[in-house]
Amino acid sequence: MSTNVTRDTFDQVMVPNYAPAGFIPVKAAGSRVWDQQGREFIDFAGGIAVNSLGHCHPELVATLTEQANKVWHLSNVFTNEPALELATLLTETTFAERVFLCNSGAEANEAAFKLARKYAADHYGADKHEIISCTNSFHGRTVFTVNVGGQPKYTEGFGPNPAGITHVPFNDIDALKAAISDKTCAVVIEPVQGEGGVLPATQAYLDAARELCNQHNALLVFDEVQTGVGRTGSLYAYQEYNVTPDILSSAKGLGGGFPVGAILTTSEIAKSFGVGTHGTTYGGNPLASAVAKKVIEIVSRPEVLAGVRAKHQRFVDGLNAINAKYNVFKEIRGMGLLIGAVVSDEFAGRAREFLKAAEAHQLMVLVAGLSVVRFAPSLVIEDKDIDEGLARFDAAIAELVAANRT
Ligand SMILES: *Cc1c(COP(=O)(O)O)cnc(C)c1O
């Protein structure tokens, strides 16, 4: 068996559904990453808002190692201490009274949408099954979740599509008002649209969504897969807006890099997931649960959440300073450490070129859609790493601009 794999190996052995960067990271610590050639990168991508505490955080390594020496997996035929401790902590730190554990964001949303339908069927009959979601939203890649998502390019070719899903423009109260009815079982919203371009919901929109759901006995579902676990400066973004959903999905940052997902809900709604109605073999396994519990503990520390707000400002100030030099962005937006830089019309549809330029300067960034450069670094990224990363970003943009404006 060959161990000298390279980036070319990807094209030879992997299904071609991804287009990974040209280098292969082999080692990482905090917000620094080293590739096969020993080149050091600064990580502003954070595993797509997953590595909430950076890479190989010592407390997470210790927790994972300790649990690895106790018990890895039991299945849900048996419960386990880490899962119960994680769920207890989530009920203590959020609106939730009940928790369902799974392994990814798509699975969390699949469970959330199924629960919303089941709850409506149990209480109001099968006619109340319509799900309202937002244009440009992203909720995962299973057939159900990808159809609740509002990006038609992701559903093309996978039909027939599940029925009973409508999309309305994000942040448009009148459109939601016009679409909602007594047939609506759930309204699904990302408090900040992540994949759709790092676009925060307005306070008025979430307030109105809550009110309309109450009027129509529909459940308000917040997809906090990307915004959760400290990303916006509160443990969950709903706390930032002070609008409480009925069901909340969490994943990505929850495991800090270990796969895990969860839905949070009330005892009343949870009753609709009675024994045998839903399940997952790996969900709530001891390894993932132990790590997630430690992540929640650390992120909940006041200094970590305060740090997210301070670092947000440092990022935004730095990006504005870069933009004052090169005039390549028309808006810097986002919350906490989920930040989007919308490229100017000159670079419309070409955000990926910024990502490529950053890679050449040993900086990892993300895009969100075609025209937004996205930053989702560790919540505990050190200020010196922010400054060094921004300096590299500055150099990358200087090169990009020079190549485009001469
Ligand atoms: C990433 C993401 C998902 C999907 O999560 P996976 O773990 O990739 O299945 C769902 N919703 C939102 C808002 C996301 O950002």
Side-chain angles (χ1 to χ4, degrees):
M1 197 175 75
S2 170
T3 51
N4 50 349
V5 293
T6 67
R7 175 59 182 78
D8 288 340
T9 314
F10 181 93
D11 300 325
Q12 291 152 14
V13 302
M14 301 296 271
V15 167
N17 61 318
Y18 303 116
F23 65 100
I24 301 184
V26 294
K27 197 177 87 147
S31 290
R32 306 259 169 167
V33 171
W34 291 267
D35 76 359
Q36 289 180 314
Q37 281 69 43
R39 291 196 309 159
E40 184 206 66
F41 289 77
I42 296 214
D43 187 3
F44 282 177
I48 315 191
V50 164
N51 300 316
S52 35
L53 298 171
H55 297 276
C56 301
H57 188 285
E59 289 184 72
L60 297 188
V61 173
T63 299
L64 181 59
T65 308
E66 190 187 328
Q67 188 58 46
N69 283 302
K70 285 185 184 165
V71 57
W72 287 28
H73 180 77
L74 294 159
S75 87
N76 288 297
V77 175
F78 313 92
T79 191
N80 66 79
E81 288 181 352
L84 298 176
E85 288 168 11
L86 168 62
T88 301
L89 185 58
L90 286 168
T91 59
E92 285 167 357
T93 49
T94 71
F95 76 97
E97 298 162 331
R98 292 287 187 274
V99 176
F100 170 78
L101 296 173
C102 54
N103 314 290
S104 70
E107 270 183 67
N109 283 326
E110 184 86 18
F113 306 156
K114 282 181 71 178
L115 177 57
R117 281 208 171 147
K118 183 70 163 53
Y119 179 79
D122 288 351
H123 294 268
Y124 306 98
D127 251 13
K128 190 176 177 66
H129 64 257
E130 287 178 6
I131 294 174
I132 298 178
S133 168
C134 295
T135 309
N136 260 328
S137 65
F138 183 81
H139 300 295
R141 300 290 200 140
T142 64
V143 171
F144 192 8
T145 58
V146 83
N147 276 279
V148 174
Q151 304 193 45
K153 64 176 190 275
Y154 292 147
T155 54
E156 273 161 28
F158 297 110
N161 295 334
I165 301 165
T166 8
H167 296 96
V168 292
F170 186 62
N171 274 339
D172 184 335
I173 295 173
D174 290 335
L176 181 56
K177 213 175 266 176
I180 198 167
S181 76
D182 290 342
K183 288 189 164 184
T184 306
C185 72
V187 173
V188 181
I189 301 174
E190 293 165 85
V192 180
Q193 284 197 335
E195 302 304 311
V198 192
L199 192 55
T202 62
Q203 181 69 46
Y205 186 62
L206 296 190
D207 287 338
R210 180 66 276 177
E211 184 59 33
L212 288 166
C213 283
N214 292 350
Q215 282 168 20
H216 293 275
N217 294 318
L219 299 184
L220 181 61
V221 178
F222 280 174
D223 178 347
E224 292 227 33
V225 169
Q226 190 152 164
T227 55
V229 195
R231 182 61 46 192
T232 63
S234 290
L235 186 59
Y236 284 95
Y238 85 86
Q239 295 161 324
E240 196 86 18
Y241 285 94
N242 207 14
V243 175
T244 306
D246 300 295
I247 303 176
L248 181 152
S249 56
S250 185
K252 286 203 168 97
L254 181 59
F258 200 97
V260 61
I263 62 169
L264 313 182
T265 191
T266 64
S267 318
E268 172 60 21
I269 295 165
K271 282 182 199 153
S272 286
F273 263 179
V275 173
T277 50
H278 189 64
T280 151
T281 300
Y282 262 122
N285 72 82
L287 289 174
S289 300
V291 173
K293 179 193 164 217
K294 183 54 78 177
V295 169
I296 294 283
E297 267 174 25
I298 297 173
V299 170
S300 300
R301 293 174 190 160
E303 68 269 23
V304 173
L305 292 173
V308 171
R309 294 152 194 265
K311 291 171 202 301
H312 168 90
Q313 203 51 50
R314 197 175 189 95
F315 256 99
V316 169
D317 290 348
L319 289 169
N320 279 323
I322 290 172
N323 202 33
K325 281 164 78 176
Y326 306 108
N327 194 26
V328 287
F329 301 123
K330 58 178 169 191
E331 191 187 356
I332 311 289
R333 65 193 183 198
M335 284 169 77
L337 286 174
L338 181 56
I339 296 167
V342 188
V343 300
S344 61
D345 294 341
E346 180 189 356
F347 290 96
R350 295 162 57 193
R352 243 191 118 73
E353 291 178 29
F354 289 74
L355 181 148
K356 283 274 153 209
E359 179 186 332
H361 287 265
Q362 294 169 229
L363 174 69
M364 296 154 77
V365 300
L366 302 165
V367 297
L370 297 174
S371 295
V372 178
V373 183
R374 174 174 39 161
F375 307 89
S378 158
L379 305 182
V380 295
I381 184 171
E382 290 181 30
D383 287 347
K384 68 172 165 46
D385 291 340
I386 298 177
D387 297 346
E388 171 64 21
L390 287 172
R392 293 183 189 186
F393 197 49
D394 185 319
I397 291 175
E399 205 169 271
L400 185 66
V401 162
N404 275 273
R405 289 184 184 161
T406 50

